[in-house]
Amino acid sequence: MAEKPPRHPWWRTLLRWSLFLGLLVANGALAAVALGWAWLSHDLPSVETLAAYRPPVLSEIASSDGQVVGELFEERRRVVPYDRIPRRVVQAFLAAEDKNFFRHHGVDWAGTLRAGVNTYVRKRKVQGGSTITQQTAKALLVSSEGFAEGTRKNLRRKAREAILAARLERAFGKEELLWLYLNGVYLGHHSYGIESASENYFRKSVEELSLADAALLAGLPQAPSRYSPVLHPDEARQRRGYVLRRMQEDGAITEEERRAADASPVRVHAIDDPFREVSPFYAEAVRRRLVERYGNERVLRDGLRVEAAMDLDEQRAAQQAMLSGLLDVDRRQGFWGPLAHVEGPEQEALRARLARAWPAGALRPGDFAVGIVTAVNDAAGQVRVEVGGEVGVLPVAGMRWARTPNPSVHWEYAMIQRPSTALRAGDVVVVRRVEREELVAREKQRPGGRPTDVPEAPLLLALEQEPRLQGALVAVDPGTGYVAAMVGGYDFEASEFNRAFQACRQPGSAFKPVLYSAAIEKLGFTPSTLLTDAPVVFRDSERSWKPQNYGEDFQGEVPLRRAVISSMNIPAVKTAEMLSRKMGPDFLGQWAASLGLGTPVKAELGSALGSSCTHLIDLVEVYAVLERLGTRRPSFLVKRVLDRDGRILEDRIAPTDPWVPLSERLAGAYAEVREEPPRVVDARAAFILQRLMQEVASVGTGAQAARLGKPVAGKTGTTNDSFDTWFLGYTVDRVAGVWLGFDRNEQPLGRAETGGKAALPIWLAFMQAALRDRPQPEFPVPEGISFVRVNPETGEAVPPFAPGVIEPYLEGTGPDAVEAGRPGNRPVDMRDLFSQ
């Protein structure tokens, strides 16, 4: 019988099982920790070297002279080297945010525990315990994961922040971590980093910050909105005092320095938005082009340096000319009515708001304001208007234009005589403070006007209104293709629709240079070519129509010169018919496209009168082709784009650009030699048409352009019922075009509002400012041109010293002078061309 093995004591069995279970639990815990660590650290941003630190930085749009006209960003940040950050700035942030920064290893466990107890156990106000390293980690999380996820208030996010902080401490030295932090910390009002905040609040670089400035900025990270010096200056000052006391306690400053800084007032600038404040339509057009080429993410995050073709002085002149011109033409349409009508408590509430906006004495001559009509006196011809804290006088002389809109009535014959025609007590209106001399001058210019109707008053006002009319202006340097100025509408805030680039409108007679350039080159037209201006009915696209001239009269046989100068419609349609017969029905559209029109031209005779819509920028490019005597060069908004490291991404620098170094201009000249612009019109044909357009701008429908006092060629354009009015014109240095009209054609412009009356004054005001002190030479004459003095009514040559006008002709095609006993050569007759 086998002997039984001895039984182990029970406690040994229990110990063995306890050890086994303990190891099992420990391994499980380790596995759980490992899995949790992997889960928490998954997809954490990797920043292993300073060279790998590529935070989002803003992209800048600059004008030709280097002025910032637009900023594009997700986070408005400029990265500044650590050695440019003053010691006082570093000390201020350490005192405010992390006095133990140089002693901990990324996480202040005591501070974190204290904050956790106060937040989750004692249920007090949420309290932070983050070190500067943790805040840097948080900024990296926000950049990589987005603001919502990177700032989520939960334990997982705090754990990920702590893990990343530990990695940062291992990867970088303390000064490197400070550099990361000071370039990443959010300081309110789109300011990321110390340099961006210095510019935003103080218009300074970080090196120029005073002790008070540094302490104010150092107080912002905890609550940028609550301590905003723009919105809450008192709270910002209290927070700045706290930072200064901490700095003194840490021995960074003396008591005298603290008191001096604490006593200084909080002075900050209003936050600029150059994109919307300088030239929003131009900046937005540049932004769209950049997004198309580089993608939205790169534009907003990669710190592109965009050098626009804009001339900032010309851009400002364009905006001023457009604003003034739009207001003038809109007033001629009549009064659209008050902004509102208020009574009782509503009026009292509005009065209080207006008093805050325009306190007594705030209005200067020329300033606009909103006021409440308090009394209307027809007998005195005056309206009392309360503007903020004072009451002004609005005489009838300052509101005679305020008739009920009626486009069938000429505005000069419909001026009001009694203020009650337009206003009543309680109306809310836009007014402008004026000097008495301005209103007296208005009355003197008005037929039957009485300057005595303008009273003496401490605060004299004129009625204004927000225009419903819209307009656009584009100016191009024909030599370089630079778009020097561009306005896309009255108010970018109200509508971002760019009427210079996006609105397709009928050009009316502004299209005729396209037509006649083809006729001169392809049909041999000369200034003396006879065209018939007589009633005619055309059958086009299975419909019959009868074109009319603007004046609804007919001149019989007229030379081309007169047809162009007077912008006659019937000769233009007959010329289009000629081209269609000789060159084919689609020829005019093909010719227009070769000159630069990007929209199709309908294959119908009405296209001769501008019935096919086009964009203003395209029409300006066509006129630039004529200015260059037939060569086509694309216009562009952007001269050059550089990335954040200074590498050139695209370059269109012109050899004549005065704002760039000589080496870059030489490179531009070399590129231009290699890529000679294509010729689309014979130089002689372009010059002949240009000479006719010079006469349009001196004695024709655009004669007001002669007030520029420089050689000008141009053309007016007015569509049926004046829904669209245009003027396009150029000198040797500038090609500019203006369009005016209503967006939706809810009504035509007022009677007699033509391109020469409505659009040309804006063009003239702009060109006078743009070309001030810039002499413009005569247009160059190409080879193969001869000049002949002709009778302006018949186109026939006249003997030497006889009255007449000098016109250009291709050599050998000009009419002979008429001598006694021998008739000269008959000018080319359109009927001859039909018979060929």
Side-chain angles (χ1 to χ4, degrees):
M1 183 174 178
E3 185 177 348
K4 293 182 178 180
R7 295 183 61 184
H8 296 297
W10 64 268
W11 56 267
R12 292 182 62 184
T13 302
L14 180 62
L15 179 62
R16 190 161 51 245
W17 278 103
S18 297
L19 289 174
F20 173 75
L21 292 174
L23 289 173
L24 188 63
V25 170
N27 287 333
L30 289 174
V33 169
L35 289 173
W37 185 272
W39 175 64
L40 290 170
S41 59
H42 177 65
D43 289 338
L44 281 176
S46 175
V47 183
E48 298 175 355
T49 66
L50 289 182
Y53 178 57
R54 306 281 286 184
V57 292
L58 65 87
S59 294
E60 280 186 340
I61 304 171
S63 62
S64 287
D65 62 351
Q67 301 296 310
V68 175
V69 298
E71 295 177 339
L72 308 171
F73 54 83
E74 284 181 353
E75 300 176 4
R76 189 188 185 280
R77 176 186 288 104
R78 296 182 193 276
V79 176
V80 59
Y82 184 78
D83 57 12
R84 281 184 50 196
I85 302 174
R87 182 178 178 83
R88 283 282 170 85
V89 173
V90 175
Q91 291 172 330
F93 276 88
L94 291 178
E97 294 296 314
D98 190 359
K99 69 175 183 178
N100 297 319
F101 175 72
F102 285 98
R103 291 193 290 273
H104 63 65
H105 298 288
V107 179
D108 184 348
W109 295 109
T112 300
L113 180 61
R114 182 172 58 252
V117 170
N118 286 331
T119 301
Y120 297 108
V121 178
R122 303 175 69 179
K123 303 296 183 182
R124 291 185 177 180
K125 185 178 179 181
V126 175
Q127 180 178 346
S130 296
T131 65
I132 280 179
T133 311
Q134 286 175 280
Q135 292 182 50
T136 304
K138 180 179 178 179
L140 292 175
L141 287 171
V142 169
S143 291
S144 65
E145 299 177 353
F147 182 81
E149 187 63 33
T151 58
R152 194 178 299 279
K153 297 184 183 302
N154 56 36
L155 292 176
R156 178 178 183 273
R157 202 271 304 166
K158 289 296 291 184
R160 284 168 59 80
E161 180 185 292
I163 293 169
L164 184 56
R167 291 182 179 179
L168 290 173
E169 287 278 347
R170 290 195 300 270
F172 303 113
K174 288 292 187 178
E175 287 189 350
E176 292 172 334
L177 285 173
L178 278 173
W179 177 75
L180 288 171
Y181 170 74
L182 291 173
N183 278 299
V185 62
Y186 179 61
L187 298 173
H189 295 285
H190 302 294
S191 301
Y192 286 83
I194 189 69
E195 178 71 5
S196 178
S198 300
E199 293 176 356
N200 252 1
Y201 295 121
F202 305 116
R203 303 289 188 273
K204 300 176 182 178
S205 179
V206 65
E207 296 123 316
E208 304 171 280
L209 293 178
S210 67
L211 173 60
D213 297 337
L216 188 144
L217 294 183
L220 293 176
Q222 186 181 98
S225 297
R226 189 195 317 161
Y227 299 127
S228 164
V230 176
L231 303 176
H232 308 293
D234 292 338
E235 289 84 347
R237 182 170 184 169
Q238 293 174 11
R239 179 65 177 169
R240 183 187 67 179
Y242 164 78
V243 175
L244 290 169
R245 288 193 300 273
R246 293 293 301 269
M247 291 181 73
Q248 182 197 352
E249 292 168 3
D250 292 344
I253 59 174
T254 64
E255 173 64 16
E256 291 74 21
E257 289 175 318
R258 184 196 68 78
R259 288 179 178 175
D262 199 27
S264 65
V266 173
R267 289 200 183 101
V268 294
H269 293 269
I271 304 302
D272 277 346
D273 183 358
F275 187 99
R276 294 182 178 272
E277 293 170 2
V278 181
S279 52
F281 282 106
Y282 201 118
E284 173 62 11
V286 170
R287 186 198 68 81
R288 286 172 179 263
R289 187 201 167 283
L290 293 171
V291 170
E292 288 175 3
R293 187 174 181 89
Y294 301 104
N296 194 53
E297 182 174 353
R298 189 172 187 188
V299 168
L300 295 179
R301 298 171 62 91
D302 207 32
L304 302 179
R305 170 74 178 183
V306 183
E307 297 176 6
M310 176 201 302
D311 183 301
L312 189 53
D313 289 336
E314 291 190 33
Q315 180 65 29
R316 287 171 174 153
Q319 292 172 175
Q320 179 58 44
M322 180 58 66
L323 174 62
S324 177
L326 267 180
L327 290 173
D328 285 345
V329 180
D330 190 79
R331 279 194 295 263
R332 297 204 294 263
Q333 310 309 301
F335 184 46
W336 306 117
L339 299 176
H341 184 83
V342 292
E343 296 178 358
E346 187 181 8
Q347 186 177 116
E348 292 302 317
L350 178 60
R351 181 177 285 115
R353 293 200 298 272
L354 296 182
R356 290 193 295 271
W358 291 281
L363 276 185
R364 298 288 180 265
D367 287 352
F368 288 79
V370 174
I372 303 173
V373 174
T374 58
V376 179
N377 188 334
D378 280 344
Q382 296 179 9
V383 176
R384 296 282 172 175
V385 181
E386 185 174 337
V387 182
E390 52 192 327
V391 176
V393 174
L394 168 59
V396 70
M399 57 178 295
R400 290 199 186 275
W401 60 270
R403 63 186 176 92
T404 301
N406 184 351
S408 65
V409 177
H410 195 290
W411 67 275
E412 286 186 318
Y413 305 123
M415 291 187 177
I416 67 172
Q417 304 300 319
R418 301 188 312 276
S420 63
T421 305
L423 298 177
R424 61 192 175 108
D427 283 348
V428 181
V429 293
V430 178
V431 293
R432 177 171 57 89
R433 181 171 182 178
V434 295
E435 301 284 10
R436 185 173 184 275
E437 291 74 17
E438 179 183 335
L439 299 185
V440 168
R442 282 193 197 180
E443 285 294 287
K444 287 181 177 179
Q445 293 172 0
R446 185 176 67 87
R450 297 175 301 182
T452 54
D453 287 344
V454 183
E456 299 278 358
L459 181 60
L460 205 57
L461 304 171
L463 182 66
E464 299 288 351
Q465 69 181 353
E466 190 85 2
R468 294 185 182 180
L469 198 66
Q470 287 291 349
L473 183 152
V474 175
V476 172
D477 182 336
T480 62
Y482 291 175
V483 177
M486 184 268 289
V487 180
Y490 164 68
D491 183 2
F492 183 80
E493 293 299 323
S495 169
E496 297 182 10
F497 182 67
N498 190 328
R499 294 146 190 92
F501 282 26
Q502 296 173 290
C504 197
R505 309 290 300 212
Q506 290 182 332
S509 294
F511 180 82
K512 288 175 182 175
V514 176
L515 170 75
Y516 286 126
S517 63
I520 293 171
E521 178 164 333
K522 300 300 182 182
L523 301 180
F525 275 27
T526 75
S528 295
T529 298
L530 292 178
L531 302 169
T532 301
D533 180 38
V536 64
V537 176
F538 289 98
R539 188 162 185 80
D540 192 5
S541 300
E542 300 189 4
R543 67 182 179 91
S544 297
W545 62 289
K546 184 179 180 180
Q548 297 281 340
N549 291 324
Y550 178 76
E552 299 183 358
D553 57 353
F554 305 98
Q555 304 296 320
E557 284 195 343
V558 295
L560 174 64
R561 172 188 181 274
R562 188 172 170 191
V564 174
I565 292 173
S566 300
S567 197
M568 295 179 177
N569 287 338
I570 296 171
V573 177
K574 291 183 176 180
T575 300
E577 185 181 39
M578 290 275 303
L579 282 168
S580 179
R581 290 189 183 186
K582 300 289 288 187
M583 308 300 297
D586 296 327
F587 172 75
L588 186 57
Q590 295 166 357
W591 180 261
S594 71
L595 267 61
L597 287 191
T599 49
V601 174
K602 291 176 283 189
E604 60 185 34
L605 297 182
S607 294
L609 306 182
S611 64
S612 298
C613 76
T614 188
H615 300 110
L616 175 59
I617 180 63
D618 288 350
L619 210 52
V620 168
E621 289 193 353
V622 169
Y623 280 66
V625 168
L626 299 176
E627 191 283 336
R628 290 189 291 266
L629 296 182
T631 59
R632 181 176 174 183
R633 178 197 298 273
S635 59
F636 47 89
L637 299 164
V638 175
K639 296 193 299 185
R640 190 165 63 167
V641 179
L642 295 84
D643 68 10
R644 68 197 296 170
D645 299 313
R647 292 186 294 265
I648 296 175
L649 303 180
E650 58 180 285
D651 190 354
R652 292 186 180 85
I653 297 296
T656 56
D657 192 330
W659 297 103
V660 298
L662 177 60
S663 60
E664 295 180 19
R665 280 185 275 161
L666 292 175
Y670 177 68
E672 194 163 291
V673 169
R674 286 188 305 161
E675 299 179 10
E676 186 174 347
R679 174 165 296 283
V680 294
V681 183
D682 181 86
R684 298 168 300 170
F687 178 79
I688 291 171
L689 178 59
Q690 178 175 268
R691 186 60 173 255
L692 297 177
M693 290 167 62
Q694 282 186 265
E695 296 180 85
V696 171
S698 58
V699 297
T701 57
Q704 193 179 166
R707 291 171 51 195
L708 184 63
K710 306 174 192 294
V712 174
K715 186 71 186 73
T716 56
T718 310
T719 60
N720 289 342
D721 296 322
S722 297
F723 280 114
D724 298 279
T725 60
W726 307 72
F727 184 78
L728 290 98
Y730 57 84
T731 67
V732 168
D733 279 355
R734 281 294 175 271
V735 182
V738 173
W739 166 84
L740 254 68
F742 292 101
D743 275 341
R744 294 182 176 84
N745 286 346
E746 58 262 32
Q747 69 177 61
L749 273 68
R751 189 167 180 141
E753 294 291 359
T754 63
K757 178 72 173 177
L760 175 50
I762 297 175
W763 180 93
L764 179 62
F766 164 72
M767 292 290 272
Q768 286 173 331
L771 300 179
R772 184 178 291 118
D773 303 324
R774 289 173 58 183
Q776 299 293 291
E778 293 288 344
F779 296 107
V781 182
E783 294 183 2
I785 289 290
S786 61
F787 291 89
V788 179
R789 185 183 296 274
V790 300
N791 183 321
E793 298 300 320
T794 66
E796 294 179 337
V798 298
F801 309 110
V805 294
I806 298 175
E807 296 292 349
Y809 298 82
L810 298 182
E811 287 182 350
T813 66
D816 294 336
V818 178
E819 298 178 359
R822 183 177 72 85
N825 289 343
R826 180 170 59 84
V828 177
D829 193 313
M830 187 183 71
R831 290 168 295 189
D832 295 337
L833 295 170
F834 270 117
S835 63
Q836 292 176 14

